[in-house]
Amino acid sequence: MHKTTILVGAQWGDEGKGKVIDFLTEDVEYVVRYQGGNNAGHTVVIGDDKYVLHLIPSGILHPGKICVIGHGVVIDPKALIDEIELLKSKGMQVEEQLKISDRAHVIFPYHRKLDELRELKAKGIIGTTKKGIGPCYADKVSRVGIRIGDLFDGKYLRGRLSANVEEKNAILRDFHDAAGFSVEEIFNDYAGYAEYLKKYVCDSTYLLNEAYRAGKSILFEGAQGTFLDVDYGTYPFVTSSNATAGGACIGAGIGPSRIERVLGVVKAYTTRVGEGPFPTEFESGLKEKIREKGGEFGATTGRARRCGWFDAVLVKCSVDINGIDSVIITKLDVLDDLKTIKICTAYNYKGETYSNIPGIPGFLEECEPVYEEHPGWGQKTSDITEYENLPENARKYVARIKELIGADIMLVSVGKSRKQTMPCG
Ligand code: IMP
């Protein structure tokens, strides 16, 4: 059994990681979030219950599993407390299972406000979740951020908060013509949050490395997806963290030589939420049909997701950047009714054919996808539980994806529940 696994989204997020993590958690002892914040939304269905988790790793739904929010995550304490309360009300043993890094950066109300106003004012909007993620990471990198551990030192917190609020209020007032914030109000609210969260806070890097040394199995769960990564994604239409596998080493404090396996989750087609280039996006008609059938609405904001054909160039890149060993294909059943299914195998751009994504400005916006067509299978697959029993054309489609992206296919999923997940080959 693998002791350490990183699981990443290999497209633009929303690949169905929540379900896969939940499935894999049976075999691990620790589940760790390493980047992003409550912009993420992992949906897990257990029996008749549906859980949407934004910050807490989905491992929390399994008794006894230790769930860690690493220091690469940005935490909105109020959102986290609400999530804890909800899980507790459903009988989950959160106090025994949850650990929060003392080095994780904290989202404040001014981060949310600036995120919202920047989107309103910007010429080309990004379509953020408006949760304050970008401004919080900006403060972290600007070395003015406030970390979870800082919330317990009143004097230090007040000093940092006063300086930050003064600066943010000036931007809000002078640039956005908006009202500012009161240091006292924020200080009091956050002192209360700190008191509530105290029992969960620890040096999570130490905890995880001790667990590693003791031979425990650890799953690092990525949020968002590879092409939303701030370095590798479709910049500037990205999130503000490293959603790729390398982000796990940074955001959880585990060295690269300690990672044994990287898994990628892909949808059998492609989706993206928010703005930005999307070469294989469907024309209207199919767009609505797949959105309806796949329930393609954001788990965090409820926004309709954009849908398109499977893009093998994109996923092959993802296999390379993340070092993905095996892939899990989700939502194959959503394609059941299609007569013909396309896969993008290359891009044409200004008279040349590309099998990669060069950093040419406007490349993904202007390129023409090169497609190959596959016959559909015209049969319901959601009640199939053995890979061998999938229709032949569905298996051929999966086999072709494997060939194009150059990674093994580990699992294929044909529905929301745990039992609709089959090992492949
Ligand atoms: P932010 O992360 O809120 O700053 O948003 C930046 C971009 O990432 C926007 O296009 C969002 O729609 C997208 N995004 C953020 N989180 C997720 C996610 O969990 N799934 C899919 N897209 C996301």
Side-chain angles (χ1 to χ4, degrees):
M1 195 179 66
H2 292 85
K3 288 287 177 202
T4 47
T5 300
I6 300 176
L7 184 105
V8 292
Q11 295 157 316
W12 274 293
D14 306 316
E15 294 91 352
K17 293 182 291 296
K19 175 187 161 168
V20 178
I21 293 158
D22 182 60
F23 187 84
L24 296 175
T25 300
E26 306 259 347
D27 297 327
V28 301
E29 289 152 291
Y30 287 69
V31 188
V32 188
R33 265 288 298 272
Y34 58 85
Q35 45 73 228
N38 59 326
N39 49 349
H42 288 169
T43 308
V44 184
V45 176
I46 300 179
D48 293 334
D49 286 329
K50 177 173 151 184
Y51 299 86
V52 183
L53 299 170
H54 299 284
L55 270 165
I56 300 178
S58 6
I60 202 81
L61 306 175
H62 295 249
K65 310 286 173 179
I66 303 299
C67 294
V68 180
I69 300 182
H71 62 266
V73 175
V74 286
I75 298 178
D76 184 328
K78 176 71 172 60
L80 178 56
I81 291 168
D82 288 348
E83 207 164 306
I84 293 173
E85 284 295 306
L86 184 76
L87 288 168
K88 277 185 166 178
S89 75
K90 303 243 180 194
M92 306 291 161
Q93 303 299 309
V94 188
E95 287 180 20
E96 283 77 47
Q97 292 176 247
L98 181 65
K99 307 282 174 200
I100 303 168
S101 168
D102 50 8
R103 291 193 186 86
H105 278 253
V106 178
I107 297 179
F108 286 90
Y110 47 79
H111 292 133
R112 287 194 299 269
K113 194 72 192 164
L114 286 169
D115 196 1
E116 186 191 320
L117 292 173
R118 204 171 274 166
E119 284 279 283
L120 275 179
K121 199 149 190 158
K123 294 238 161 38
I125 63 158
I126 290 169
T128 74
T129 57
K130 301 193 180 92
K131 303 285 183 193
I133 307 295
C136 182
Y137 276 117
D139 275 4
K140 171 179 176 174
V141 182
S142 302
R143 294 155 297 175
V144 296
I146 296 172
R147 307 192 292 182
I148 287 285
D150 302 337
L151 300 180
F152 304 104
D153 181 336
K155 191 160 170 248
Y156 181 83
L157 175 62
R158 198 185 290 278
R160 281 238 134 183
L161 202 52
S162 302
N164 284 352
V165 169
E166 189 183 351
E167 186 202 19
K168 309 303 183 208
N169 280 355
I171 299 172
L172 287 167
R173 185 187 59 234
D174 299 339
F175 188 68
H176 293 290
D177 202 14
F181 290 91
S182 134
V183 174
E184 273 321 295
E185 238 171 73
I186 299 181
F187 182 87
N188 291 334
D189 287 349
Y190 278 66
Y193 302 149
E195 196 49 42
Y196 181 102
L197 292 174
K198 205 172 187 172
K199 57 167 93 69
Y200 301 99
V201 176
C202 69
D203 176 354
S204 61
T205 303
Y206 179 73
L207 177 89
L208 286 172
N209 282 289
E210 284 296 297
Y212 174 82
R213 245 187 295 277
K216 307 280 185 203
S217 50
I218 308 174
L219 175 66
F220 299 91
E221 60 162 75
Q224 290 87 43
T226 297
F227 293 95
L228 288 173
D229 182 284
V230 66
D231 282 280
Y232 202 78
T234 46
Y235 195 88
F237 301 100
V238 293
T239 190
S240 300
S241 63
N242 288 112
T244 40
C249 296
I250 305 288
I254 198 108
S257 60
R258 295 190 167 181
I259 302 299
E260 284 178 29
R261 173 173 74 158
V262 180
L263 302 177
V265 189
V266 294
K267 256 179 211 171
Y269 47 101
T270 313
T271 62
R272 117 166 259 177
V273 60
E275 302 303 314
F278 185 173
T280 62
E281 188 166 10
F282 294 136
E283 303 287 320
S284 57
L286 198 49
K287 192 189 289 190
E288 289 76 23
K289 184 175 163 167
I290 295 295
R291 180 183 294 149
E292 255 342 285
K293 177 114 199 256
E296 297 295 357
F297 297 90
T300 300
T301 57
R303 288 180 292 174
R305 294 183 188 136
R306 299 154 66 193
C307 304
W309 297 115
F310 187 86
D311 187 335
V313 182
L314 205 76
V315 176
K316 183 162 182 276
C317 267
S318 196
V319 167
D320 287 344
I321 325 160
N322 291 298
I324 292 173
D325 301 298
S326 307
V327 156
I328 293 108
I329 300 183
T330 61
K331 294 192 155 184
L332 187 70
D333 57 301
V334 175
L335 305 181
D336 283 355
D337 305 330
L338 300 183
K339 283 209 162 49
T340 307
I341 302 172
K342 294 187 192 179
I343 300 180
C344 167
T345 57
Y347 305 126
N348 281 336
Y349 179 75
K350 299 196 172 163
E352 276 186 57
T353 303
Y354 289 78
S355 308
N356 62 319
I357 310 171
I360 303 169
F363 177 86
L364 280 180
E365 283 85 348
E366 292 162 38
C367 71
E368 278 296 314
V370 178
Y371 288 115
E372 59 178 34
E373 295 198 355
H374 293 260
W377 42 92
Q379 188 187 324
K380 186 174 169 217
T381 56
S382 54
D383 45 11
I384 297 175
T385 51
E386 303 286 336
Y387 184 71
E388 296 70 44
N389 296 336
L390 280 177
E392 192 185 354
N393 283 348
R395 278 184 284 127
K396 280 188 176 162
Y397 180 69
V398 171
R400 183 62 179 144
I401 288 179
K402 171 178 169 168
E403 192 171 41
L404 286 167
I405 65 172
D408 283 340
I409 310 294
M410 180 186 172
L411 298 167
V412 172
S413 157
V414 289
K416 286 182 183 149
S417 79
R418 281 183 194 174
K419 58 180 189 299
Q420 291 167 301
T421 317
M422 53 194 110
C424 175

